[in-house]
Amino acid sequence: MENIQKIVFLGQFGVGKTSLLRRFISNEFSKDYKTTLGVQIKKKTVTLPSGNNISMIIWDLEGFSSVSKTRPSYLLGSNAFIHVFDITRPVTYYSLDEEINFIKKKYPKVLLRTIGNKSDQKDPKNVLEYLKSKNIEVYGVVSAKTGEGVQQLFMDLAKNLDTL
């Protein structure tokens, strides 16, 4: 039986959601920035060390200033959310506590990973300290450009989804 999991990318415009998806799906990066309109859906099946296969149906949503402005129909049936922020742009993480609280209240059973992107451009130490001081749990920091941490993010997510 195929284990199909719906994963939705959340976050503001320009944080690198599409670049992260492209890096995971085809191990590519493009400097050309094209705004996602609506939703783009991709699929990738990964094999876990246990031998189990997880088919990840990944929804790359257009950026919104707030998760609450996202069409609820895009979020229905989700197994996991990856909320991406840009460590080089404070505006993308200053309201993360509100965003996370909204997600946890509306979708309490959906696995959530909060991810900082663009670690190749800035040392994330100060950003992570700031978020920790606001009691915001960040899963990790990745770089869509270099690929640092991207495969690990998705493999860890797949392992967690396989146990649910």
Side-chain angles (χ1 to χ4, degrees), residues 20-39:
L20 284 170
L21 181 59
R22 186 178 295 137
R23 175 61 74 183
F24 174 61
I25 298 291
S26 58
N27 199 27
E28 296 174 351
F29 178 81
S30 173
K31 291 181 182 181
D32 295 336
Y33 175 74
K34 293 181 182 170
T35 301
T36 302
L37 300 175
V39 63

Side-chain angles (χ1 to χ4, degrees), residues 93-156:
Y93 57 81
Y94 278 163
S95 61
L96 267 179
D97 52 346
E98 296 167 21
E99 299 289 299
I100 291 168
N101 288 335
F102 176 83
I103 293 167
K104 287 181 176 180
K105 184 177 179 184
K106 293 285 265 185
Y107 306 94
K109 295 182 180 181
V110 178
L111 186 62
L112 172 65
R113 293 285 189 258
T114 303
I115 301 297
N117 188 28
K118 303 185 184 180
S119 63
D120 58 289
Q121 295 181 24
K122 179 180 178 178
D123 183 343
K125 183 180 174 188
N126 291 338
V127 174
L128 295 175
E129 285 176 7
Y130 166 78
L131 293 172
K132 186 176 180 180
S133 75
K134 302 217 14 144
N135 293 320
I136 297 171
E137 184 180 334
V138 175
Y139 169 79
V141 179
V142 299
S143 170
K145 184 175 184 179
T146 67
E148 175 190 0
V150 176
Q151 296 300 322
Q152 179 183 342
L153 162 67
F154 283 97
M155 289 305 291
D156 180 66

